Amino acid sequence: MKIGLLSDTHGWLDERVVRFFADCGEVWHCGDIGSMAVIERLEQDFRVRAVHGNIDGGEIRMRFPETEVFECEEVKVVMTHIGGYPGHYDARIRPVLQRECPRLFVCGHSHILKVMYDRTLGCLAVNPGAAGKFGFHKVCTAVRFLMEKGEIKDLEVLEFKK
């Protein structure tokens, strides 16, 4: 299954992101969605999984959890908004990662695209950066990758100036 991954839309979704995800089976949003209109647009074309972020209001917080743990294509996934990265995980998510032992950890918040392998946890950590136009970043980013029978592969990056 091909997965589209984005974060930090802050209420704005560029159609270039939707086109980039065109052949994805699912889209995962790592928080700071900003508006239900973003989710509604994504749901027109995709199965959506999401977590709420620190800027998200009541409706989004009622619909989406702070952290989600699930399996996809035989890969255990932990998704949250504020997560950090290997060696610098947020104090709230560190015990979740240690308890759940995921093979894939996805988060947002930093507005910085980062893909790192955590040798200690045996886990790939991916932050897709910020897909929205609000924030300090100069380039909007999103990623897509293939998950197949326990493998995570073929990661691709979309980037465009905001």
Side-chain angles (χ1 to χ4, degrees):
M1 178 184 311
K2 193 169 268 192
I3 306 296
L5 182 67
L6 76 164
S7 184
D8 296 278
T9 49
H10 292 262
W12 180 77
L13 181 64
D14 193 288
E15 282 298 313
R16 286 174 281 195
V17 174
V18 176
R19 287 192 302 272
F20 180 65
F21 292 162
D23 60 345
C24 292
E26 291 187 0
V27 170
W28 303 347
H29 197 305
C30 296
D32 278 4
I33 299 161
S35 166
M36 281 303 294
V38 170
I39 294 298
E40 291 163 2
R41 173 61 189 97
L42 290 170
E43 287 179 333
Q44 289 176 16
D45 297 312
F46 312 103
R47 178 174 189 257
V48 176
R49 294 180 189 260
V51 293
H52 71 258
N54 55 293
I55 66 111
D56 290 320
E59 185 177 7
I60 292 170
R61 285 175 182 260
M62 286 174 49
R63 179 156 176 209
F64 300 109
E66 181 177 25
T67 300
E68 187 168 358
V69 179
F70 58 95
E71 287 217 9
C72 180
E73 289 291 322
E74 303 171 31
V75 173
K76 186 181 245 187
V77 180
V78 171
M79 178 168 53
T80 197
H81 181 59
I82 301 174
Y85 55 94
H88 301 278
Y89 291 119
D90 183 75
R92 183 196 54 77
I93 200 66
R94 192 176 308 118
V96 175
L97 294 172
Q98 291 168 342
R99 179 182 68 243
E100 296 295 339
C101 300
R103 295 252 334 279
L104 178 62
F105 172 59
V106 293
C107 66
H109 187 63
S110 70
H111 291 222
I112 300 168
L113 172 69
K114 191 173 287 209
V115 179
M116 296 177 70
Y117 186 73
D118 184 330
R119 291 173 202 228
T120 304
L121 294 176
C123 173
L124 181 64
V126 181
N127 183 325
K133 62 183 177 180
F134 301 106
F136 66 88
H137 61 285
K138 293 182 178 10
V139 176
C140 295
T141 56
V143 300
R144 67 183 178 199
F145 52 91
L146 187 62
M147 295 182 73
E148 184 177 52
K149 296 180 183 169
E151 290 187 58
I152 306 161
K153 58 187 180 180
D154 301 335
L155 189 136
E156 300 171 279
V157 175
L158 170 69
E159 59 178 31
F160 56 92
K161 291 189 179 186
K162 66 177 185 176

